[in-house]
Amino acid sequence: MTEATRRKPGTPCWVSLMVHDLDVTQEFYGALFGWRFQPGPQQLGPYVRGLLDGLEVAGMGRLPAGRDLPVAWTTYLATDDADRTAESIRSSGGTVAVGPLDASDAGRMAICSDPTGAVFGVWQAAEHVGTAVAGRPGTPVWNELLTQETESVVKFYRTVFGYELEPVVPAEPDVVTLRVDGRPVAALHGAGKALPRDRGAHWMTWFEVEDTDAAARRVTELGGRVLRPPRDDANGRPATVADPEGAVFTVVRSADR
């Protein structure tokens, strides 16, 4: 399935990772997901895009030398107007750390954080509309915000992006599904005391795999770590892992595959 089309505002459209050693990171994800790489916009330093069969899946860049910044996957949410969205983020209690700025002819972007400090990107597409293939192993399949509790941030995301909300069910886990035109696109997950203290609130990217157990073993073989072993749940069979620089992500064989 290909999805090389412009996304509706609020829909996750791209994921990107900033690291210290770009060569080692390319080797890791190339071996894990079968990605090949090509250069991308260089405004923020060396940057490449991961490809599956020539189709763009995700981006990777090199962190500025000498700056001790966190290594983490960043979820980008689509917008029709990055400047207007950035202003809405500021007025709703969030922060705009970078931009908005043009990424060559690809589009216009900003790096932001919500009121709890969770970092995400905003993407206004031009030539680059985002991830060009979905549903296959090696592609992003889901994005969720892990936070202390959802009540304090749900208003922020609804105000900025206009999401329709699937509310929390009493006595059920604190999870709010975000919908665009009736379709689930992401979720807010209140993790309570299970939220890692060293990371705080953060967006998590889930990547589809053919076999979760085999993918988790491969992560270890390639120098990464398994943080939460494979298990079965309503979403399929996920495992939480980290790459050699510590960037955390989830691999999953989805229940509907």
Side-chain angles (χ1 to χ4, degrees):
M1 174 183 176
T2 59
E3 287 200 355
T5 55
R6 189 177 300 272
R7 271 61 164 204
K8 295 287 184 68
T11 306
C13 60
W14 187 244
V15 293
S16 188
L17 175 65
M18 300 297 288
V19 298
H20 298 286
D21 193 326
L22 191 54
D23 292 335
V24 168
T25 302
Q26 288 180 75
E27 291 176 7
F28 174 85
Y29 288 97
L32 181 62
F33 293 139
W35 294 350
R36 296 182 180 276
F37 297 91
Q38 70 177 18
Q42 306 295 304
Q43 276 88 343
L44 300 179
Y47 189 86
V48 297
R49 291 176 180 159
L51 312 177
L52 272 179
D53 295 330
L55 299 173
E56 296 173 340
V57 174
M60 294 178 186
R62 181 176 295 141
L63 286 166
R67 295 189 63 185
D68 187 22
L69 298 173
V71 175
W73 280 98
T74 299
T75 298
Y76 282 77
L77 305 174
T79 180
D80 290 335
D81 188 329
D83 295 82
R84 186 175 60 195
T85 298
E87 199 53 48
S88 179
I89 287 168
R90 292 189 189 98
S91 64
S92 300
T95 302
V96 179
V98 177
L101 54 83
D102 291 327
S104 185
D105 297 325
R108 191 161 173 80
M109 59 158 291
I111 303 295
C112 313
S113 60
D114 68 23
T116 69
V119 175
F120 63 94
V122 169
W123 184 255
Q124 178 185 337
E127 291 185 0
H128 175 66
V129 296
T131 303
V133 58
R136 288 176 44 187
T139 64
V141 68
W142 188 243
N143 293 270
E144 70 172 5
L145 171 69
L146 295 174
T147 188
Q148 188 79 25
E149 44 79 27
T150 62
E151 185 177 358
S152 64
V153 292
V154 68
K155 181 179 179 181
F156 169 83
Y157 285 99
R158 180 176 57 191
T159 299
V160 174
F161 294 104
Y163 292 118
E164 306 148 17
L165 305 178
E166 185 176 296
V168 176
V169 177
E172 293 292 325
D174 182 14
V175 177
V176 177
T177 301
L178 306 178
R179 294 178 177 268
V180 173
D181 291 345
R183 184 173 70 91
V185 297
L188 310 180
H189 184 182
K193 293 181 179 179
L195 185 70
R197 291 185 179 181
D198 59 337
R199 301 189 64 210
H202 61 279
W203 279 88
M204 173 81 78
T205 300
W206 294 45
F207 292 95
E208 188 70 39
V209 292
E210 191 64 47
D211 182 325
T212 305
D213 296 76
R217 289 193 297 270
R218 188 67 172 137
V219 165
T220 301
E221 292 167 359
L222 293 168
R225 294 177 295 140
V226 176
L227 304 180
R228 189 175 181 192
R231 70 260 181 208
D232 293 319
D233 65 17
N235 300 306
R237 188 165 175 79
T240 306
V241 299
D243 70 18
E245 288 203 19
V248 178
F249 58 101
T250 295
V251 291
V252 62
R253 180 177 172 91
S254 297
D256 57 1
R257 288 194 67 236

